[in-house]
Amino acid sequence: MIKDTLVTSATNSSFDRFSLPDKSGRFGPYGGSFVPETLSHPLRELNDAYLQAKKDPEFQKELDQMLRNFAGRPTELYYAERLSNRLGGAKIYLKREDLLHTGAHKINNALGQALLAKRMGKKRIIAETGAGQHGIATASVCARFGFDCVIYMGAEDMRRQALNVFRMRLSGAEVRGVEAGSKTLKEAINEAMRDWVTNVRNTHYILGSALGAHPYPGMVRDFHRVIGEETKRQFVKMEGRLPDEMIACVGGGSNAIGFFFDFLEEEDVRLIGVEAGGRSLDEGEHAARFEGGKLGILQGCKTWILQNPDGQINPTHSVSAGLDYAAIGPEHAFYKDRGRIEYAHIGDAEALDAFRTLSSEEGILPALETSHGLAHGFNRAKELSKDQIICINLSGRGDKDAMEVARLMETPGIPNAKKP
Ligand SMILES: *Cc1c(COP(=O)(O)O)cnc(C)c1O
């Protein structure tokens, strides 16, 4: 319906966004399924089940209902008027994924995969988590469906995110600390894959971003497409047109690809993903894969990865744990090559500044991940005129980060993190 009136450049018929990933899970040269033999069977089973569910109106109906009455969809499209006036440029709209149950977009995917697991007859769910947001969404959904739930989390992340560990346990999840390597997300994913191989008959692995081996990147994207679909409908209703620019932060890339997907053919809408610039672009100090990365394979998937010349994965840093990962989702790499999505990076200090600006101007505390998208959006808004429109995906709320922000404001050397 919207398409008839609004697709401005559907003539770009040389390429169909629905054709990706192809049958082998590739987005052009990226993606695929680089896994040991023991994992290829469960991945095939998952792919078959997903392809069937995707076509089944009953599945879509049940998911739709759960997204409404459990997660809280649709989320608002909010015009940040005071902020827009203060910056003095384009009108800024925020897509309020932060209002969802458990505080971020992650519940869209957790619900979708949990319903799929139910359909496949699985009784046990495993997941990995870094900062804890995906773990909380998964634990919450598992409580709702009555699944046994095990969350793998690096021991270092468990220490840093003690409150989130407690929240997962309150929802009945078992949180297992992983002591290997740097004791963070990468090791937690390895451990989850190991568990899956061993227990695949009764277990589904809910991966938390548009990453990993086929079918995960495409499936996770599909579960988040609702973000962009709603955004489009809401713009038609509120402004009678689409925004000029859309901006989202990119960790693995799930909130961004879900937000962008329905706009890929709208060539007049500029799409920008924002990576974590960390402390600097020196090796080990950031997570801007398109700045310092190279083509490689990590955890089942071919994509841009931060690695040294020997192929060892580099350490990464970001003030936001959710953007702090060495690989980017393969679909992003594909659209970067095509020039359809542009990528920028924002450092820790600027993200903190945006965190404070949105909090004080609008009374909305954004997640630190989201603050990277916001910072870039604020910069763009100042470049544009008052009759132009920017939409930023507010991927999550900042309650989880408030203590960390308080600590950073006391840290010398972060000039933008002054007390209010
Ligand atoms: C996890 C998370 C992200 C990063 O993950 P993507 O898969 O890139 O979306 C961004 N924002 C919030 C609030 C998160 O919790």
Side-chain angles (χ1 to χ4, degrees):
M1 188 181 67
I2 293 160
K3 277 199 172 151
D4 293 338
T5 54
L6 263 162
V7 170
T8 45
S9 348
T11 46
N12 178 22
S13 54
S14 62
F15 177 69
D16 171 14
R17 69 197 149 108
F18 292 106
S19 68
L20 294 183
D22 68 15
K23 280 206 167 58
S24 54
R26 287 175 181 271
F27 301 86
Y30 307 108
S33 186
F34 298 86
V35 295
E37 192 54 40
T38 44
L39 266 178
S40 50
H41 171 70
L43 286 166
R44 247 194 326 271
E45 181 195 47
L46 178 61
N47 188 45
D48 292 346
Y50 176 59
L51 288 180
Q52 285 209 347
K54 195 175 168 176
K55 287 187 301 209
D56 182 352
E58 277 304 308
F59 178 82
Q60 295 301 339
K61 195 171 134 203
E62 197 178 352
L63 178 56
D64 211 57
Q65 275 167 2
M66 291 295 295
L67 286 171
R68 272 174 196 281
N69 60 32
F70 188 70
R73 301 213 73 90
T75 60
E76 294 296 317
L77 179 67
Y78 170 74
Y79 171 39
E81 186 173 8
R82 212 176 105 89
L83 174 71
S84 305
N85 290 340
R86 149 96 192 271
L87 295 175
K91 282 173 98 166
I92 298 174
Y93 277 85
L94 305 172
K95 177 60 173 165
R96 298 290 307 273
E97 294 295 293
D98 62 312
L99 295 176
L100 288 173
H101 179 45
T102 66
H105 67 287
K106 293 211 167 65
I107 193 98
N108 301 325
N109 170 51
L111 266 178
Q113 289 199 45
L115 273 176
L116 188 59
K118 192 174 90 169
R119 215 180 138 95
M120 293 172 78
K122 310 278 177 176
K123 306 255 182 292
R124 179 175 178 268
I125 297 287
I126 58 171
E128 84 296 338
T129 197
Q133 285 303 107
H134 176 56
I136 285 168
T138 301
S140 170
V141 164
C142 286
R144 168 64 183 74
F145 285 96
F147 289 130
D148 287 338
C149 178
V150 174
I151 306 288
Y152 287 94
M153 191 168 184
E156 176 59 19
D157 287 337
M158 281 181 77
R159 188 190 59 72
R160 287 190 290 204
Q161 302 288 338
L163 178 62
N164 282 344
V165 173
F166 183 59
R167 288 172 68 191
M168 287 180 248
R169 287 179 173 154
L170 283 175
S171 294
E174 179 191 340
V175 182
R176 289 192 189 160
V178 179
E179 296 285 349
S182 62
K183 306 180 187 183
T184 57
L185 180 62
K186 182 160 60 71
E187 289 78 20
I189 297 178
N190 286 338
E191 219 37 54
M193 296 212 274
R194 219 163 282 148
D195 180 317
W196 200 30
V197 169
T198 316
N199 300 297
V200 64
R201 238 174 310 136
N202 70 344
T203 300
H204 173 64
Y205 175 18
I206 302 190
L207 200 134
S209 189
L211 270 172
H214 183 59
Y216 283 105
M219 177 173 72
V220 174
R221 171 201 71 200
D222 288 345
F223 288 137
H224 285 300
R225 273 185 54 200
V226 63
I227 307 172
E229 288 166 1
E230 283 177 13
T231 303
K232 202 174 213 182
R233 275 201 300 275
Q234 289 165 324
F235 264 111
V236 171
K237 209 164 155 202
M238 292 172 75
E239 287 279 353
R241 71 173 185 94
L242 300 181
D244 297 285
E245 299 192 6
M246 294 173 64
I247 296 169
C249 65
V250 184
S254 68
N255 87 88
I257 199 70
F259 185 52
F260 293 156
F261 192 75
D262 267 46
F263 292 83
L264 286 168
E265 285 162 1
E266 310 287 357
E267 286 183 346
D268 295 336
V269 182
R270 189 170 173 186
L271 306 175
I272 308 173
V274 184
E275 298 185 278
R279 283 185 286 254
S280 76
L281 288 182
D282 294 344
E283 207 175 288
E285 295 289 297
H286 66 94
R289 287 69 43 104
F290 287 136
E291 287 300 319
K294 289 198 304 273
L295 192 59
I297 292 170
L298 181 62
Q299 290 172 331
C301 165
K302 192 185 227 181
T303 184
W304 283 66
I305 295 167
L306 291 167
Q307 55 191 329
N308 74 15
D310 299 331
Q312 294 294 320
I313 304 307
N314 280 345
T316 51
H317 163 79
S318 168
V319 69
S320 65
L323 303 187
D324 196 354
Y325 184 65
I328 192 165
E331 195 164 7
H332 286 280
F334 178 80
Y335 284 111
K336 181 186 186 333
D337 284 359
R338 287 184 68 89
R340 180 60 191 99
I341 306 179
E342 298 162 60
Y343 294 84
H345 52 85
I346 287 287
D348 290 353
E350 218 181 334
L352 277 165
D353 206 26
F355 177 97
R356 283 191 37 219
T357 301
L358 192 71
S359 301
S360 63
E361 294 300 315
E362 295 285 348
I364 299 171
L365 271 66
L368 280 175
E369 291 82 8
T370 315
S371 299
H372 290 72
L374 288 166
H376 191 71
F378 298 171
N379 293 341
R380 291 296 311 142
K382 290 182 221 161
E383 300 285 317
L384 300 179
S385 65
K386 288 189 177 176
D387 57 357
Q388 290 181 292
I389 299 173
I390 284 183
C391 184
I392 305 167
N393 193 29
L394 207 62
S395 56
R397 69 179 84 130
D399 308 36
K400 68 180 176 65
D401 296 315
M403 288 307 292
E404 179 68 1
V405 171
R407 190 182 68 77
L408 288 165
M409 283 179 181
E410 302 292 339
T411 307
I414 302 183
N416 289 323
K418 291 184 292 286
K419 283 186 193 174

